[in-house]
Amino acid sequence: MDEKKQFIEQHINSYRSAIEESIKNNTYALFEEDIASLLKKPPLDSMDLIKNKLITLAKKNKIVLNTVELDSIIDEFRDNIIIFFKEFENMRINKLMDIVNNYEIKKNDDIIKINKKEFNDYNKKMKKELKKIIIDSYNKTILRKIDSIFNENVEENIKNSIVDELSKYINKNYLKQISEGIDFKLLVKDTTLINNLKEFGERYLFTLNNSRLLNDIEK
């Protein structure tokens, strides 16, 4: 391989590596910070959607809940969702890096691009899977252990009424709020990454066209 081809190959490899690092950082921030903020325990009890819903239903039925147990099962509910984040992160990184690594740079003015459709394909699949995980975690934790938050003297019909209303809330309002929050986080991170790729492309082309090393080789 001649010097010019070797330099260009090294330059392209560095370009792909920079994109890979950006994809990884962007994806980790998306899940570990952005989406996690929607599902982790909020800093204030007043911001806890599920806890507040249950307390409101309890007040409506004139009963007092065991809030220690309530906190425990809601924490477990959240933990059972968040453990899947690594899987979602790997899926996103692998999908985007497949595009980057398979992108053939044929001309001197070519740069690597990831279009919105390719982001949307992943986002749609991830949101669908996450919805299933949220429902599954709700069934396995809150719903299965909900008796622990009631006192022994609470009537079964009252328990059932609270459970029914909570389940409706989880399946409609809660999932809708989480979905809308995730949509916004995805939009911001996807746009940021698209812009980062444009910047890397511009740097790549500038170096390719203005490198003193490459000019010296050509002479």
Side-chain angles (χ1 to χ4, degrees), residues 56-95:
T56 300
L57 291 171
K59 286 179 180 177
K60 178 182 173 183
N61 288 277
K62 297 181 174 56
I63 62 171
V64 177
L65 300 178
N66 182 333
T67 55
V68 174
E69 284 298 317
L70 178 57
D71 286 337
S72 176
I73 63 174
I74 294 177
D75 285 346
E76 187 180 352
F77 162 76
R78 293 189 173 105
D79 290 343
N80 284 353
I81 298 167
I82 291 169
I83 58 172
F84 286 91
F85 279 12
K86 285 296 178 189
E87 183 178 325
F88 289 131
E89 288 168 11
N90 290 334
M91 283 169 55
R92 186 173 189 261
I93 291 168
N94 290 338
K95 177 177 176 58

Side-chain angles (χ1 to χ4, degrees), residues 18 34-35 112 119 152 159 163 165 176 179:
D34 296 351
I35 296 178
I112 297 169
F119 281 104
E152 291 181 2
K159 289 183 187 179
V163 169
E165 288 197 54
K176 183 181 177 183
S179 181

Side-chain angles (χ1 to χ4, degrees), residues 4-213:
K4 181 179 177 180
K5 286 184 178 178
Q6 187 175 12
F7 170 77
I8 292 173
E9 186 173 308
Q10 288 173 349
H11 187 43
I12 291 172
N13 288 338
S14 296
Y15 175 36
R16 293 189 201 274
S17 294
I19 292 174
E20 179 177 14
E21 188 67 21
S22 184
I23 287 173
K24 287 180 178 178
N25 291 337
N26 179 280
T27 300
Y28 296 147
L30 171 63
F31 284 97
E32 305 296 335
E33 297 171 15
D34 296 351
I35 296 178
S37 70
L38 302 171
L39 291 163
K40 282 185 177 179
K41 185 174 183 178
L44 301 173
D45 276 353
S46 60
M47 299 166 66
D48 193 326
L49 299 175
I50 298 175
K51 183 174 182 179
N52 282 335
K53 182 63 179 178
L54 272 165
I55 289 173
T56 300
L57 291 171
K59 286 179 180 177
K60 178 182 173 183
N61 288 277
K62 297 181 174 56
I63 62 171
V64 177
L65 300 178
N66 182 333
T67 55
V68 174
E69 284 298 317
L70 178 57
D71 286 337
S72 176
I73 63 174
I74 294 177
D75 285 346
E76 187 180 352
F77 162 76
R78 293 189 173 105
D79 290 343
N80 284 353
I81 298 167
I82 291 169
I83 58 172
F84 286 91
F85 279 12
K86 285 296 178 189
E87 183 178 325
F88 289 131
E89 288 168 11
N90 290 334
M91 283 169 55
R92 186 173 189 261
I93 291 168
N94 290 338
K95 177 177 176 58
L96 298 180
M97 281 310 301
D98 279 346
I99 297 167
V100 171
N101 290 327
N102 292 320
Y103 197 100
E104 188 177 355
I105 299 176
K106 297 177 181 178
K107 300 182 296 183
N108 285 344
D109 60 347
D110 273 352
I111 60 171
I112 297 169
K113 305 179 189 73
I114 302 175
N115 62 48
K116 287 186 178 181
K117 181 186 181 302
E118 287 159 327
F119 281 104
N120 291 340
D121 288 345
Y122 165 81
N123 294 343
K124 184 177 179 181
K125 182 178 179 181
M126 183 274 290
K127 285 180 60 184
K128 184 178 179 181
E129 290 299 316
L130 185 56
K131 180 180 177 180
K132 290 178 183 176
I133 289 166
I134 290 172
I135 295 300
D136 186 56
S137 183
Y138 169 71
N139 290 335
K140 287 180 177 178
T141 56
I142 298 174
L143 197 57
R144 184 176 293 177
K145 300 180 180 182
I146 203 158
D147 277 347
S148 65
I149 70 172
F150 295 114
N151 295 323
E152 291 181 2
N153 59 349
V154 177
E155 296 175 8
E156 282 299 316
N157 65 318
I158 292 176
K159 289 183 187 179
N160 292 337
S161 173
I162 289 174
V163 169
D164 286 345
E165 288 197 54
L166 178 64
S167 295
K168 288 176 185 176
Y169 170 75
I170 292 292
N171 281 281
K172 292 183 179 178
N173 299 60
Y174 180 76
L175 279 178
K176 183 181 177 183
Q177 285 179 272
I178 293 297
S179 181
E180 288 173 351
I182 290 173
D183 282 342
F184 177 73
K185 304 294 186 184
L186 287 168
L187 176 62
V188 171
K189 278 297 184 287
D190 291 350
T191 303
T192 299
L193 190 53
I194 288 171
N195 290 335
N196 285 347
L197 262 63
K198 288 179 182 176
E199 290 178 15
F200 287 130
E202 289 168 3
R203 290 179 201 169
Y204 161 77
L205 291 178
F206 180 83
T207 303
L208 188 67
N209 296 322
N210 297 278
S211 169
R212 180 178 296 176
L213 175 60

